[in-house]
Amino acid sequence: MALTTAPARETRQGLPSILLKTVMAVTGLFFVLYLLLHMYGNLQILIGREAFDDYAHHLRVIGEGMIPENGVLWIARILLLASLVGHVWSAILLWRRAGKARQHRYVGSKRATYGSVYARAMRWGGLAILLFVIFHILHFTTQTITVAGEHASPAERVISSFQVWWAVLIYVAAMIAVGMHLLHGVWGACMTLGLNTSLKRAEQIRFISILVATVIVVGFLIPPFAILFGFVS
Ligand code: HEM
């Protein structure tokens, strides 16, 4: 096998990789925070339709009297969109760089390494999540896609949707992708931010990654299954 090293200037062009990785880490952790809040909101459906609708209404009138209606919601949307652009853009630049470095280093070798399998899983998983989020916004926010007819209240939309088995299946598939992405993503973000100062700390980070991924997947899947099996109606 021919082994050549990449010219140093190839990897030094453009923004430093550590900056791109930091953008990925910070935006990724912001998504985790958003997901935890979103999950907490969704769980209100277990209390009842009214609790869920109240919660959805309160989100729109936070800071009433000082901030216009939907103000906080729009700030969150803008921050999420900016984070998404930063996250995807950094990922694409880093993948391109890794691809170029591999071409130079291992000419003729097509063997997948442990790291490259992870990288591929993150790439395709990330794309699947992006497609899900587009579907999800068209489903619940703009209501362009209707699963079980049109409904006026947010609670009715959620309940009627998850009474349909294939809608639950879509959300289960999406949550598997989200869980896998978080498992490696939270770990990677903590590494980038230099939190792995000792072996013990690295083990704690591994534990936290598993905990965060599990809490988010289980927490998000409780409402769809509770509705599908008739515990919430
Ligand atoms: C079973 C899982 C989920 C349920 C039941 C659910 C439910 C909802 C509902 C009802 C809305 C509309 C809120 C409203 O307009 O009042 C919404 C919006 C949204 N959800 Fe989810 N969601 C789930 C999972 C996720 C996941 C995994 C993500 C991200 C990966 C996500 C990201 C979003 C985003 C970005 C919005 C748009 C927020 C906005 O602009 O108003 N959701 N979700």
Side-chain angles (χ1 to χ4, degrees):
M1 174 180 52
L3 233 109
T4 58
T5 45
R9 70 185 153 75
E10 283 275 344
T11 49
R12 288 204 189 121
Q13 268 174 3
L15 290 170
S17 293
I18 186 63
L19 180 69
L20 297 173
K21 284 187 181 178
T22 306
V23 170
M24 292 210 71
V26 173
T27 52
L29 292 177
F30 175 61
F31 290 140
V32 170
L33 189 70
Y34 171 76
L35 283 178
L36 288 170
L37 291 173
H38 188 8
M39 184 193 84
Y40 166 77
N42 289 352
L43 288 170
Q44 305 295 310
I45 201 98
L46 301 180
I47 303 173
R49 288 169 183 248
E50 217 169 291
F52 188 79
D53 285 342
D54 273 356
Y55 172 82
H57 175 71
H58 279 127
L59 277 185
R60 285 164 172 77
V61 293
I62 299 173
E64 209 175 3
M66 287 189 305
I67 300 170
E69 201 177 319
N70 285 329
V72 170
L73 201 62
W74 273 106
I75 292 169
R77 284 171 176 164
I78 290 165
L79 284 176
L80 280 172
L81 192 64
S83 298
L84 183 69
V85 171
H87 199 79
V88 173
W89 172 71
S90 304
I92 292 171
L93 288 183
L94 284 167
W95 290 329
R96 274 207 207 141
R97 261 175 218 187
K100 271 187 198 161
R102 258 195 308 278
Q103 266 172 23
H104 285 283
R105 247 181 275 137
Y106 306 114
V107 179
S109 167
K110 285 191 178 151
R111 206 153 51 94
T113 61
Y114 190 62
S116 73
V117 170
Y118 255 127
R120 218 171 293 160
M122 290 304 276
R123 194 177 314 172
W124 289 108
L127 187 65
I129 296 168
L130 192 62
L131 292 177
F132 161 74
V133 171
I134 294 170
F135 163 80
H136 183 54
I137 288 174
L138 292 174
H139 177 201
F140 279 133
T141 305
T142 65
Q143 296 158 55
T144 317
I145 297 173
T146 49
V147 169
E150 287 178 14
H151 299 276
S153 90
E156 275 176 20
R157 278 196 291 279
V158 171
I159 292 173
S160 62
S161 294
F162 293 131
Q163 282 169 341
V164 178
W165 68 269
W166 56 261
V168 174
L169 205 64
I170 293 176
Y171 279 79
V172 168
M175 291 318 299
I176 291 172
V178 169
M180 306 281 275
H181 206 76
L182 285 177
L183 212 53
H184 188 62
V186 173
W187 162 262
C190 293
M191 293 292 133
T192 298
L193 298 176
L195 302 181
N196 57 328
T197 47
S198 65
L199 201 63
K200 187 163 177 251
R201 196 45 78 77
E203 275 168 17
Q204 287 169 344
I205 294 171
R206 173 53 71 203
F207 174 74
I208 288 172
S209 312
I210 296 171
L211 186 71
V212 168
T214 309
V215 166
I216 289 181
V217 171
V218 173
F220 268 116
L221 287 181
I222 287 173
F225 278 110
I227 293 164
L228 185 69
F229 294 124
F231 295 111
V232 175
S233 55

